[in-house]
Amino acid sequence: MTATALPIRRVLRAYALETRFEIVGALRTVSFAVPFIVVPLAVYLLFGVVIAGGTAASGPYGPGIANYLFAGFAVMGAIMPGLFSGVILAQEREGNLLRLKRALPQPPGASIVAKVLMAMAIAGVSVTLVAIAALLAGKITLSVGQVAIIWAVLIVGTIPFAAMGLLIGALVSGSAAPAWGNLVFLPMMWLSGLFIPLPKFLEKWVIIWPAFHLDQLALGLAGVCQFTFIPPALAAGVLVGVTVLSGGVAIRRLARVG
Amino acid sequence: MTATARPDERLHALDAVRGAALLLGIVLHATMSFFFVIPARDDSQSTALAVLFYAIHTFRLSLFFLIAGFFGHLVYHRRGMRAFAKDRARRIVVPLTVGWLLLAPPTIAAVAWGLSRTFPTAASGSAQALPPQGFPLVHLWFLYYLALLYILVLAGRWVVETAVDRTGRLRGTMDRWLRVGLSSGVMPVLLAAPLAGVLCFDASWVLWFGIPTPDNGLAPQLPALVAYGTAFTFGWALHRQQEPWRVVERRWLFNLVIAAGLTGLCLVLVGVVPDLAAPTAIDGGPSMRALYAAAFTVSIWYWTLGLIGLALRFWAGPSPVRRYLADSSYWLYLVHPPIVFGLQALVMHLPFSWAIKFPAILVVTMAVLLVSYHWLVRSTLIGEILNGRRYPRKLPAFAADAAAGAAPGAGRPVAETMDVAALDRVTKRYGSTIALDRLSLSVGSGELLALLGPNGAGKTTAIGLWLGTLEADQGRVTLLGGSPLEVARRLGVGVMMQEVSLAPMLTGRELIVLTAGYYPDPFPVEEVIALAGLGALADRRYGGLSTGQKRQVQFAVAVCGRPRLLFLDEPTVGLDVEAREAMWRTIRTLRRDGCAIVLTTHYLEEAEALADRVAVVARGRLVAQGSVEEMRALVARRRISAVSALGIEEIRAWPGVVDVAREARTVHVTAFDAESVVRRLLQADPTLSNLEVKQASLAEAFTELTREAA
């Protein structure tokens, strides 16, 4: 009796199917996908284009502020799907679906990989819409190449937030997961200083939020020197640390109780 | 549950380490342009990549040579001296000579291009800055030193066996010292001492770059010979041992923490990037130089032992992907330099950060190399030379006997019993509660085993162990000839759990397509839909189905992979009569086609209708097992029915009668000795009619057996 191994093409196909149906399921869940795609675009158009667009350029930061606002709202679009993917995970965990998949010959880590890629795909749509809006109406001074670099960094930058989402999904119940997601998301969004001026005493604390580091990494790698406050390597290091720590704890937890 | 890797598992782990050491070489070379001038100096420099280079460079080749020594000893003892020499000549000397002829020119050309772009106006000046170059072995120097070490160790072995240690006592003593050295924790210091001595007194030692790379001449260089000779000999000696592996595995985290600490200390002493102006100098004079040499050489061994322990702990099982990468690593490492160096020279002036360029170089290099391996090497003559055989172009399979048969006490060979799944004296506890108590149970090929027992008997725990979602505290669990934790075993398994929620937004058809994708030879989707009787339900979203309809979709998902072993946990709960009978028909069809089935159910008529064999479990123990008829026979009582005017109190007083009830004119008697009771009934009531005697039902047998167990 020998065990038959899956040819590598079928293994890759299994990962692709898992990812495809994860994305399909997420897009069909209106309460999940629609807010994450629409909200960043809507708030960018409202705050970044309509309200700040006319006046901010004459402020202390000059016309470059439009670039900063674009990056900040795009970061918002990159963060939300990953952070809230934990809600789906928690529900699957509670419904014994992860346990069933562990019993089936699902390729190792396929559920997690699929969730991360799903988050990246939805973030891709969201960030693309914000980028198109910025190029058309945002009065940004960035080149298309710089926008493309910011776009690419933010898509990859979804990974640490997906890892945080996985950690939430691995630890809390399905009904509590949205609350925990918001408890992390809302303070992080507003206290990272991405699109509203912060009081002086809060400014020095922006470094504790991963969203600030993703913003800095994107701006730094795109060469937006005016708003690059820390070296991109440091920001990348923090994000890698968040990924390893959150993802590691989540995977360990899921391996035990999956 | 922690367990020490078995010898066969150790080979999986060490082969993975060997592959990882080679693949890390590609990462190492890809970092160089981002902190150094060879092969090029990128516009975007990175301290992080310099530290990464330093850490990898510290341990990588010592780790590789240790594993080479281990496998060298293994092959020598498996095949004998002559075959060993022939094998090494084919797999080491041929790649060295042919590889040098084909790879050295493009490698040197790529470096020259990078240097010319780095020093566009001062080529002669930069050339003067480089050390004198001898014969350029390029990165293939490691094969040259491997060949030298094979020759030296074989010559040394011949001298020891024929002149120094004919009785083997000396080697026995050395083995004991090796065990004591490892278990006492002093081995890293002992192994580091020779190299530390050599480096400390080498005035030309370029401190930051650790063990000098001997790629510029054919004359053996002392530091490399001592460093890699020590590792190779240690690996050769380790293959004879059992106990040291357990120590290495147990201390993996401790060793890695110490290694990281020592590397941190080294970087503090020598700087996080190389000092090209004074590469042999260190602040603090000779004492600091000695401290650095000691910390650096000891860190080599903590890294090496820590990483091997890590692999033994987490990579011990067979993995098709790890094995494929390990098989490919030799080719990838041999061929990578021209590609990596060429890409570094190509992107060095592009206006992007190293954080984009470095991963891009790695991704492009690995993609090109893996495609070339898959199509040009794996199943060709080149693969036969490098890997010792031609592999088919797919992920490796692992034979059942390799995974299970080698274990001590593995029991009967699978072919003898045809068991597809077995629990052998398995114990499982939840805190102080014993869920399974030395339970032994098996299911044979094509057999339907009904697992019965009251709530809390241990049925779900037994299935959880078979499915690999739980681990046993004691005993052995086998699934299709191996461990249930291996994905390869589960390729033959289908599962329908009792309480599970599938993805609510997907349709039944999509859930079948998704799950079928996990299997090598699934049923066509339409056939699964027909088998499970889904019909139009297949295109409705799972979340909108009724409980019974959801069970039908779960059944379809369980059978879609054409399983050889199917676990069905309460499959017909919530189904209407028609759907239940349809499911029974499908179960019978699957069994007829050779699928073994483990069925748990509280509907005893379901077990009676379907099972070849019934196992009754109570309080974690096997109470009884056999065919349905055998189980009924275990319960001696039978049921007698007749139309009679006799009073039930009178009958109840007769010997052998267990219970009596009246239903209109009919009397129902349950009795142990049915024949005596029937004779007495006929004597006592000449008008008795409609006499009927039945064996006890499975339900009665089950009730009696579980009551006795309680």
Side-chain angles (χ1 to χ4, degrees):
Chain A
M1 187 188 303
T2 55
T4 311
L6 270 185
I8 194 161
R9 261 182 313 183
R10 286 201 73 91
V11 173
L12 294 175
R13 184 167 180 270
Y15 278 103
L17 279 173
E18 195 77 36
T19 305
R20 174 183 144 199
F21 286 120
E22 193 72 43
I23 294 171
V24 167
L27 290 175
R28 285 179 188 165
T29 310
V30 175
S31 60
F32 182 83
V34 172
F36 301 156
I37 292 173
V38 173
V39 168
L41 175 67
V43 292
Y44 174 63
L45 288 173
L46 182 64
F47 294 104
V49 176
V50 177
I51 295 177
T55 56
S58 55
Y61 296 107
I65 191 68
N67 303 332
Y68 189 69
L69 288 173
F70 154 62
F73 285 104
V75 165
M76 184 185 194
I79 286 175
M80 291 173 83
L83 201 57
F84 288 93
S85 64
V87 177
I88 298 174
L89 182 78
Q91 288 165 349
E92 289 184 355
R93 188 168 54 79
E94 276 190 339
N96 276 331
L97 184 55
L98 294 185
R99 198 179 292 267
L100 174 68
K101 289 188 171 182
R102 271 176 66 191
L104 296 173
Q106 186 195 40
S111 285
I112 289 176
V113 170
K115 281 184 177 50
V116 173
L117 292 176
M118 176 272 289
M120 291 172 77
I122 293 184
V125 177
S126 178
V127 175
T128 302
L129 290 175
V130 174
I132 291 170
L135 287 167
L136 294 177
K139 297 180 180 171
I140 57 174
T141 59
L142 303 171
S143 68
V144 174
Q146 285 175 304
V147 172
I149 288 176
I150 291 175
W151 181 89
V153 171
L154 294 187
I155 303 310
V156 177
T158 306
I159 294 172
F161 300 93
M164 291 168 68
L166 291 177
L167 181 61
I168 292 172
L171 293 177
V172 305
S173 68
S175 53
W180 279 101
N182 277 311
L183 209 58
V184 176
F185 172 73
L186 293 173
M188 178 163 67
M189 223 51 266
W190 301 115
L191 298 179
S192 296
L194 301 188
F195 28 68
I196 56 166
L198 292 174
K200 278 284 178 205
F201 75 98
L202 281 176
E203 275 182 2
K204 63 185 175 188
W205 291 104
V206 294
I207 56 164
I208 69 169
W209 299 107
F212 168 77
H213 291 279
L214 179 57
D215 188 58
Q216 284 299 295
L217 183 64
L219 291 168
L221 292 182
V224 187
C225 303
Q226 185 188 0
F227 295 104
T228 302
F229 308 120
I230 61 172
L234 175 63
V238 171
L239 293 171
V240 168
V242 168
T243 307
V244 171
L245 192 66
S246 304
V249 174
I251 289 167
R252 189 168 172 77
R253 166 88 177 161
L254 291 172
R256 283 182 173 173
V257 301
Chain B
M1 185 176 64
T2 59
T4 302
R6 303 192 311 253
D8 56 324
E9 294 173 336
R10 190 179 301 149
L11 295 184
H12 292 306
L14 295 182
D15 198 40
V17 171
R18 180 192 60 80
L22 289 173
L23 294 178
L24 277 176
I26 301 174
V27 178
L28 179 105
H29 290 140
T31 65
M32 288 173 65
S33 64
F34 299 101
F35 71 94
F36 194 48
V37 295
I38 299 174
R41 182 180 170 81
D42 198 282
D43 292 346
S44 174
Q45 293 287 287
S46 166
T47 305
L49 290 186
V51 171
L52 179 66
F53 174 97
Y54 185 91
I56 295 174
H57 193 52
T58 299
F59 64 80
R60 187 178 73 88
L61 282 161
S62 296
L63 183 64
F64 174 81
F65 275 91
L66 187 153
I67 304 290
F70 174 91
F71 282 111
H73 190 266
L74 185 151
V75 175
Y76 178 86
H77 279 272
R78 277 191 181 173
R79 301 190 186 178
M81 168 78 175
R82 186 182 296 270
F84 172 76
K86 194 174 167 187
D87 178 79
R88 297 297 101 168
R90 187 180 169 90
R91 295 179 62 183
I92 305 294
V93 180
V94 171
L96 171 63
T97 48
V98 177
W100 190 88
L101 290 170
L102 296 176
L103 293 168
T107 301
I108 293 167
V111 173
W113 183 39
L115 287 174
S116 70
R117 296 196 78 197
T118 303
F119 304 106
T121 57
S124 58
S126 64
Q128 283 167 6
L130 296 173
Q133 299 294 303
F135 183 82
L137 276 168
V138 294
H139 66 299
L140 301 175
W141 67 264
F142 79 103
L143 294 176
Y144 180 67
Y145 275 72
L146 256 185
L148 284 180
L149 288 169
Y150 284 127
I151 293 167
L152 286 175
V153 84
L154 289 179
R157 187 182 169 85
W158 181 79
V159 170
V160 167
E161 281 181 348
T162 56
V164 180
D165 183 34
R166 288 184 182 175
T167 61
R169 284 181 60 187
L170 177 63
R171 275 165 285 169
T173 305
M174 290 180 69
D175 285 346
R176 274 197 301 282
W177 287 358
L178 192 149
R179 286 195 292 273
V180 171
L182 270 172
S183 58
S184 65
V186 300
M187 188 54 83
V189 177
L190 294 178
L191 290 167
L195 179 62
V198 169
L199 291 177
C200 218
F201 295 104
D202 181 357
S204 63
W205 180 30
V206 179
L207 302 171
W208 200 89
F209 284 94
I211 302 167
T213 304
D215 58 357
N216 56 354
L218 291 173
Q221 296 177 21
L222 189 60
L225 207 56
V226 169
Y228 305 130
T230 306
F232 186 90
T233 312
F234 182 55
W236 185 277
L238 264 182
H239 181 249
R240 293 204 299 261
Q241 307 274 335
Q242 293 295 326
E243 180 61 27
W245 296 104
R246 286 189 271 274
V247 178
V248 170
E249 183 184 344
R250 206 166 50 237
R251 292 188 183 161
W252 69 271
L253 184 59
F254 171 81
N255 285 336
L256 286 181
V257 169
I258 298 289
L262 286 170
T263 294
L265 172 65
C266 289
L267 287 168
V268 168
L269 293 174
V270 81
V272 290
V273 290
D275 180 358
L276 299 181
T280 60
I282 188 169
D283 292 340
S287 58
M288 207 52 77
R289 185 184 172 86
L291 174 65
Y292 176 72
F296 171 74
T297 52
V298 173
S299 76
I300 292 174
W301 286 102
Y302 275 110
W303 277 117
T304 301
L305 295 175
L307 290 168
I308 291 174
L310 180 75
L312 291 171
R313 179 74 183 82
F314 296 106
W315 287 354
S319 156
V321 174
R322 273 203 304 276
R323 176 70 183 274
Y324 184 95
L325 287 173
D327 289 341
S328 67
S329 62
Y330 193 6
W331 166 258
L332 266 58
Y333 186 71
L334 289 179
V335 180
H336 82 277
I339 301 172
V340 169
F341 296 158
L343 286 171
Q344 285 172 318
L346 186 69
V347 304
M348 61 188 286
H349 293 315
L350 293 183
F352 299 119
S353 162
W354 62 267
I356 291 172
K357 293 188 209 175
F358 171 67
I361 288 170
L362 279 181
V363 167
V364 171
T365 303
M366 289 301 289
V368 169
L369 292 176
L370 280 171
V371 168
S372 69
Y373 171 75
H374 196 74
W375 293 106
L376 302 177
V377 177
R378 187 166 174 80
S379 56
T380 67
L381 176 65
I382 306 172
E384 190 178 336
I385 291 170
L386 297 181
N387 297 327
R389 54 174 288 198
R390 298 183 193 209
Y391 290 105
R393 280 197 194 101
K394 62 178 184 179
L395 287 181
F398 293 94
D401 55 355
R412 300 159 295 171
V414 171
E416 185 187 306
T417 63
M418 297 301 285
D419 287 347
V420 289
L423 302 175
D424 183 11
R425 285 162 290 162
V426 165
T427 297
K428 176 70 182 173
R429 295 183 185 82
Y430 299 107
S432 59
T433 305
I434 299 180
L436 293 181
D437 187 5
R438 285 167 292 157
L439 179 72
S440 292
L441 193 61
S442 63
V443 56
S445 180
E447 178 187 41
L448 195 152
L449 171 72
L451 193 55
L452 307 181
N455 291 333
K459 305 185 298 291
T460 303
T461 300
I463 289 183
L465 291 168
W466 264 327
L467 295 178
T469 58
L470 297 172
E471 287 189 61
D473 297 323
Q474 286 169 15
R476 180 177 171 78
V477 183
T478 51
L479 179 77
L480 295 173
S483 164
L485 300 177
E486 298 163 12
V487 175
R489 305 297 158 196
R490 299 202 296 272
L491 288 172
V493 171
V495 185
M496 181 176 179
M497 285 182 166
Q498 194 177 341
E499 288 177 9
V500 69
S501 302
L502 302 180
M505 288 298 159
L506 300 184
T507 64
R509 183 186 301 277
E510 288 167 338
L511 288 165
I512 294 166
V513 170
L514 172 64
T515 311
Y518 302 155
Y519 291 90
D521 182 27
F523 286 116
V525 175
E526 294 305 327
E527 197 173 328
V528 177
I529 290 170
L531 269 175
L534 289 182
L537 292 180
D539 293 311
R540 286 173 52 190
R541 288 187 190 172
Y542 180 80
L545 300 177
S546 71
T547 306
Q549 290 167 336
K550 284 178 179 171
R551 293 300 278 167
Q552 285 178 273
V553 173
Q554 290 167 20
F555 181 69
V557 163
V559 302
C560 69
R562 207 187 294 268
R564 292 168 55 205
L565 173 59
L566 180 61
F567 290 91
L568 300 174
D569 197 356
E570 304 283 353
T572 55
V573 171
L575 293 188
D576 59 32
V577 175
E578 194 183 338
R580 179 191 293 193
E581 286 179 356
M583 190 178 283
W584 285 10
R585 278 196 298 277
T586 305
I587 290 171
R588 289 193 184 103
T589 305
L590 289 168
R591 193 188 51 178
R592 212 169 32 244
D593 293 343
C595 177
I597 298 170
V598 177
L599 169 77
T600 65
T601 179
H602 282 119
Y603 299 136
L604 297 178
E605 73 274 18
E606 188 162 276
E608 224 162 354
L610 295 172
D612 298 305
R613 192 158 56 93
V614 174
V616 179
V617 179
R619 298 168 75 97
R621 291 186 170 199
L622 184 64
V623 176
Q625 63 172 324
S627 66
V628 171
E629 291 308 314
E630 287 168 339
M631 297 299 288
R632 283 173 175 163
L634 278 175
V635 182
R637 62 190 180 181
R638 276 175 281 181
R639 288 171 63 90
I640 303 160
S641 305
V643 174
S644 172
L646 290 171
I648 59 172
E649 292 307 321
E650 180 189 349
I651 298 171
R652 185 170 285 134
W654 295 351
V657 172
V658 176
D659 193 21
V660 186
R662 176 176 288 284
E663 209 174 78
R665 293 174 58 212
T666 304
V667 178
H668 298 286
V669 182
T670 306
F672 284 119
D673 187 358
E675 287 78 8
S676 301
V677 172
V678 167
R679 275 194 290 271
R680 196 157 178 179
L681 276 171
L682 291 169
Q683 280 176 355
D685 183 4
T687 63
L688 184 135
S689 62
N690 290 355
L691 179 67
E692 197 175 340
V693 182
K694 279 187 185 169
Q695 188 91 43
S697 69
L698 183 60
E700 286 171 307
F702 171 76
T703 306
E704 177 128 327
L705 287 166
T706 52
R707 188 190 299 148
E708 284 168 8

